[in-house]
Amino acid sequence: MKRNIAFRSKGSTRGPITRLVSPGDVGQLIKPFVFLDRFRMEAGRGGKMGMHPHSGIATTTVIMDGAMAYRETTGSEGVLRAGGVEWMSAGNGVWHDGGPAEGQPAHGFQLWLALPPEDENGPAHSQYLAADQVASAGPARVIIGRYGDADSRIQPRASINYLHVKLRDGERWHYQPPAGHDVAWVAVASGTLHAGEAAIGLEVAVFEEGDGAIDFVAEGETEFVLGSAVKHPHDLVTGYYSVHTSDAALAQGETEIERIGTQLRSANLM
């Protein structure tokens, strides 16, 4: 059954970041995908985020070009290079920092995923994958989940696919979501993506709910990310840097964030 586009947005741009999805707008349509930024930070122009907290969500960063330095209170730190992927499950609370590695740009997408109740106040943990650790199926790199014969090393509890796709001019690609994935969307970084009669440029496009296949055709060299999932069945209860399923879970996460922040300030690490 054909799936039409139900919503599309070019987002809002501030400096090097275009915010395409927030929990208070598009995130309500496509939860568990609740936040999406497309970033284009150039070498030598700053862009460092500074230490800041999260709880209740997992952040996933895909580096399309350049390199990004990162550090977090789980103890992980390093440099993520082109093709690399970050997965950080904030759980009950974590602080982290990131920005372009010295002398290099950093272009890509950062996604937030709402965690289920079993994980939203659990221990923080992270995975960082180099480009050669990311499995592929045809033109799609499998960032999260399973597609075709490829399994990601990142397998959250919820049923989620997150793919990074590059198509040549005129190339066709058929995406059949797994059973039950009633949420699906794409966000384009370059080129133009045709889905049926719709042309999708540098924007996010949300498809009608259902688990029908979606057919794409590229116009020009086209690069994009695609997400599909079983819809998150919980309300989004939001703090400034946090998304939870209840007021009590949010209060617990924010208490832990403040505790970690106090430690960082005492040690002059912020």
Side-chain angles (χ1 to χ4, degrees):
M1 182 177 178
K2 180 181 177 182
R3 291 175 71 173
N4 296 315
I5 292 174
F7 181 86
R8 57 201 300 171
S9 173
K10 295 184 183 298
S12 59
T13 300
R14 182 175 180 181
I17 294 174
T18 298
R19 183 142 302 163
L20 296 165
V21 173
S22 293
D25 47 49
V26 189
Q28 295 287 342
L29 299 177
I30 61 174
K31 59 185 183 179
F33 308 100
V34 297
F35 178 101
L36 182 68
D37 277 351
R38 186 179 65 239
F39 58 87
R40 192 173 186 87
M41 302 174 182
E42 302 303 339
R45 296 187 183 179
K48 191 175 177 64
M49 301 298 293
M51 286 294 280
H52 61 281
H54 295 294
S55 67
I57 54 99
T59 66
T60 305
T61 304
V62 175
I63 307 297
M64 298 187 301
D65 183 40
M68 178 171 283
Y70 64 88
R71 65 185 177 109
E72 60 191 51
T73 54
T74 64
S76 294
E77 62 179 300
V79 174
L80 198 61
R81 304 190 184 280
V85 172
E86 170 240 22
W87 162 270
M88 186 192 69
S89 181
N92 201 44
V94 72
W95 287 66
H96 72 160
D97 187 10
E102 187 174 354
Q104 298 190 57
H107 304 163
F109 285 94
Q110 185 177 79
L111 172 72
W112 290 10
L113 291 161
L115 293 173
E118 299 90 338
D119 300 320
E120 65 179 320
N121 292 115
H125 60 92
S126 58
Q127 290 176 259
Y128 290 85
L129 306 180
D132 62 3
Q133 295 176 304
V134 180
S136 295
R141 303 171 67 236
V142 184
I143 308 304
I144 298 173
R146 298 177 175 87
Y147 176 66
D149 295 329
D151 287 0
S152 172
R153 298 189 184 197
I154 301 169
Q155 295 288 343
R157 185 188 305 271
S159 183
I160 294 168
N161 275 3
Y162 184 44
L163 310 178
H164 173 209
V165 186
K166 294 182 182 180
L167 300 178
R168 300 182 300 275
D169 183 29
E171 186 174 0
R172 296 176 179 271
W173 183 59
H174 176 86
Y175 179 66
Q176 176 61 63
H181 280 212
D182 47 354
V183 168
W185 56 272
V186 293
V188 176
S190 61
T192 300
L193 194 62
H194 292 264
E197 298 178 357
I200 306 165
L202 301 182
E203 57 187 317
V204 62
V206 177
F207 294 92
E208 293 174 334
E209 290 191 15
D211 59 4
I214 308 170
D215 290 298
F216 298 102
V217 182
E219 179 183 341
E221 299 290 318
T222 303
E223 185 170 8
F224 60 98
V225 290
L226 174 147
S228 72
V230 175
K231 193 163 189 176
H232 185 68
H234 306 283
D235 291 337
L236 302 180
V237 180
T238 59
Y240 194 73
Y241 290 103
S242 304
V243 180
H244 284 271
T245 66
S246 69
D247 291 334
L250 174 63
Q252 183 177 332
E254 290 189 329
T255 297
E256 177 65 3
I257 280 172
E258 181 57 33
R259 185 191 70 80
I260 297 170
T262 299
Q263 288 184 335
L264 292 172
R265 286 186 287 269
S266 296
N268 293 317
L269 294 176
M270 295 176 61

